[in-house]
Amino acid sequence: MGSEGPKAITIHVTGFKKFLGVSENPTEKIANNLKSYVEKRGLPSGLTLGSCTVLETAGDGARSKLYQVLESSVAVAGDKNNNGTVVWLHLGVNSGATKFAIERQAVNEAHFRCPDELGWQPQRLPIVVEDGSISKAKETSCSTESIFKLLKQRGFDVVQSDDAGRFVCNYVYYHSLRFAEQKGHKSLFVHVPLFSKINEDTQMQFVVSLLEAIAATC
C-alpha cells in the first residue's frame, strides 16, 4: 500500500585505541566524535548511525569484548522488529598510509609484528582454527567498487585493498565478516591515515560520506 520509503539501514562503527608506535589513534577520535558530527550534519532518510565503539587494540584477549559489541547489534535489530540492513564499519589506522583504503577481505591468519596491547604476539596462527588454513580469506559482501567510485566522485583520495595486514585490524575484520555471514549482516573495514597526513576535519567528512556510500550501495 503506497510507495515504499528508503530502505532502512543501520551502520555501527568501531575504532581502535592506541597501540605500539601510534600513541594517538585517529579512529578513536573519529568513533568518539561521530555521533555529534552526524547530528549537526544529518544523514539521508533511511540511514541510521548505530553504536560507535572504541575497541582495545588487541586480538585474542579482547575477542569476548568484540563479540559483546557485535551481539549488541543483533539485540537492537530484534527490538526494532524491522527488516533493515545492519552493517558493521570498522575503522583502523595505517600509520604509513597517505590515502584511505577500502579493505575487500580478511585472511584467517594472525601474524603480529609486535605484541598487541594485551601482550599477545601470535606467529602464523589461524584466527579461527575450525576454518582451516591460514590462507583462507573471507570477502565483504559490501559493493566495494561502487563505494570506491562514489567516494572518488566526492574528491577523496581513496584506494581499494586486498591486504588488511595480519595484525589486529585483520583479526577483527575476519571475526566480523564471519559473524556477519552467520547473522545476515554486512561488514566492511576501512583504513585511514594519521591526522598528520589527512587532517581530522577531512577524515570526519570522509567517514560521513562513507556511511552515505554504504547506504546507497547496500
Side-chain angles (χ1 to χ4, degrees), residues 40-188:
K40 293 172 189 168
R41 176 168 166 159
L43 290 172
S45 179
L47 170 57
T48 301
L49 176 61
S51 60
C52 293
T53 308
V54 179
L55 302 172
E56 192 77 51
T57 309
D60 209 44
R63 185 177 55 190
S64 60
K65 170 63 176 174
L66 170 64
Y67 273 89
Q68 284 175 19
V69 172
L70 295 173
E71 289 284 0
S72 69
S73 68
V74 178
V76 169
D79 289 345
K80 289 182 177 177
N81 195 27
N82 62 27
N83 295 317
T85 303
V86 174
V87 180
W88 279 96
L89 172 60
H90 304 287
L91 302 173
V93 65
N94 179 350
S95 58
T98 57
K99 301 179 179 183
F100 300 104
I102 300 167
E103 301 294 349
R104 287 187 284 228
Q105 64 178 23
V107 179
N108 188 32
E109 180 183 7
H111 185 70
F112 292 7
R113 68 189 183 280
C114 62
D116 68 17
E117 287 301 287
L118 296 179
W120 189 48
Q121 191 175 6
Q123 300 293 299
R124 303 203 182 285
L125 290 181
I127 293 171
V128 179
V129 174
E130 54 264 41
D131 281 0
S133 167
I134 59 173
S135 64
K136 180 178 175 63
K138 285 189 179 295
E139 295 184 1
T140 179
S141 60
C142 291
S143 178
T144 55
E145 181 68 25
S146 300
I147 292 167
F148 165 74
K149 286 179 179 176
L150 285 170
L151 292 169
K152 288 290 282 185
Q153 286 169 10
R154 294 195 180 188
F156 293 107
D157 209 356
V158 59
V159 297
Q160 295 186 75
S161 165
D162 288 321
D163 186 1
R166 297 296 183 272
F167 194 49
V168 176
C169 291
N170 178 72
Y171 181 93
V172 165
Y173 195 18
Y174 190 86
H175 275 291
S176 181
L177 286 168
R178 199 169 186 271
F179 183 88
E181 279 180 8
Q182 294 167 355
K183 303 297 182 183
H185 296 176
K186 294 175 183 284
S187 175
L188 183 66

